[in-house]
Amino acid sequence: MILLTTIARVSDGLPLAASMQEDEQSGRDLQQYQSQAKQLCRKLNAQSPDRCTLEAGDMNFHFLIAQGVCYLCLCEASFPKKVAFAYLEDLHNEFYDQFGRKVSTVTRPYSFIEFDTYIQKTKKTYIDSRARRNLGSINTELQDVQRIMVANIEEVLQRGEALSALDTKASNLSTLSKKYRSDAKYLNTRSTYAKVAAVAVFFITLIIYVRFWWL
């Protein structure tokens, strides 16, 4: 289930639109998550990853950044990540079409609160089990969820660590992983050459031995 949706400007964290499931409907107290979502939006910057999942116990925050705007949702951890990011992409396409040119000019929070109507309608579509089965067949770059960075919301907020730093760490790990694979390939190649050389030396020695023994 999608319990909370927030749209914010990346440059200053200004909330532009939001929608939250009523506590009675969700059976959860969402105030803490709403506070975390606001803190998270204020930590974003131009170097933040464009897609990220932040674990929050039995819940997950997912966010997508496009054209200077962050689209964030809170879902139960069991909710498919693929569907969550397809939902955020859908919101981005519609929001940009309606308000893209106005985003940089507004100064008051929730200037586009009327977008909640579209959020509510779209959320129902993505929560519906039949629609989710159809969406599961989508095969686009967005759906490559294996490449989406995953972190912990408490670590990000409590340490005050910028998401750009996490992205840098992820890039460093990727670089180290590539270097490891390159080194492993080099060592495997050297090992193969050594084995071939040993076999060649053995046969050359054998030929020389036979040649001189029988002559």
Side-chain angles (χ1 to χ4, degrees):
M1 180 180 289
I2 301 171
L3 302 173
L4 181 154
T5 304
T6 297
I7 300 175
R9 190 164 59 194
V10 172
S11 60
D12 56 5
L14 182 73
L16 303 172
S19 179
M20 186 169 70
Q21 194 87 357
E22 295 295 333
D23 291 353
E24 294 77 11
Q25 292 178 289
S26 65
R28 295 172 178 269
D29 182 4
L30 300 178
Q31 294 302 316
Q32 177 186 355
Y33 296 108
Q34 188 176 28
S35 175
Q36 288 178 329
K38 290 180 180 178
Q39 292 179 61
L40 178 60
C41 289
R42 288 195 292 268
K43 285 182 172 293
L44 299 174
N45 56 46
Q47 285 72 48
S48 297
D50 57 359
R51 297 184 184 92
C52 184
T53 293
L54 296 172
E55 298 172 341
D58 61 347
M59 308 286 278
N60 284 338
F61 285 100
H62 306 286
F63 74 75
L64 163 71
I65 295 178
Q67 275 81 38
V69 177
C70 173
Y71 304 85
L72 179 147
C73 68
L74 173 72
C75 306
E76 295 168 330
S78 58
F79 192 79
K81 187 185 293 187
K82 179 186 296 188
V83 178
F85 280 96
Y87 165 71
L88 295 176
E89 181 71 16
D90 195 328
L91 294 186
H92 156 60
N93 291 334
E94 184 64 25
F95 186 85
Y96 187 76
D97 284 345
Q98 290 190 33
F99 309 112
R101 296 180 180 178
K102 302 177 183 178
V103 168
S104 61
T105 64
V106 297
T107 56
R108 62 183 179 85
Y110 304 106
S111 293
F112 310 116
I113 195 63
E114 66 270 23
F115 192 67
D116 176 58
T117 303
Y118 183 82
I119 294 176
Q120 293 288 352
K121 181 181 69 174
T122 306
K123 184 165 60 176
K124 289 179 181 178
T125 299
Y126 283 81
I127 290 176
D128 181 77
S129 59
R130 288 172 297 178
R132 281 168 56 181
R133 282 196 296 271
N134 292 335
L135 288 165
S137 63
I138 295 176
N139 184 23
T140 65
E141 182 180 351
L142 171 66
Q143 305 309 316
D144 190 1
V145 295
Q146 299 302 322
R147 292 185 296 176
I148 294 172
M149 194 182 74
V150 178
N152 182 277
I153 185 70
E154 291 294 341
E155 292 179 0
V156 172
L157 297 182
Q158 289 181 7
R159 288 205 311 257
E161 184 171 21
L163 283 167
S164 56
L166 291 176
D167 196 31
T168 299
K169 289 180 180 179
S171 298
N172 290 342
L173 286 173
S174 177
T175 301
L176 288 173
S177 177
K178 290 178 180 177
K179 184 178 184 300
Y180 172 79
R181 287 196 297 270
S182 177
D183 290 346
K185 184 177 179 181
Y186 172 71
L187 290 174
N188 286 335
T189 301
R190 285 193 59 181
S191 176
T192 300
Y193 287 155
K195 290 176 182 178
V196 171
V199 172
V201 169
F202 172 77
F203 279 106
I204 291 172
T205 303
L206 181 62
I207 291 170
I208 294 173
Y209 174 78
V210 171
R211 180 184 180 88
F212 283 96
W213 178 264
W214 293 102
L215 291 179

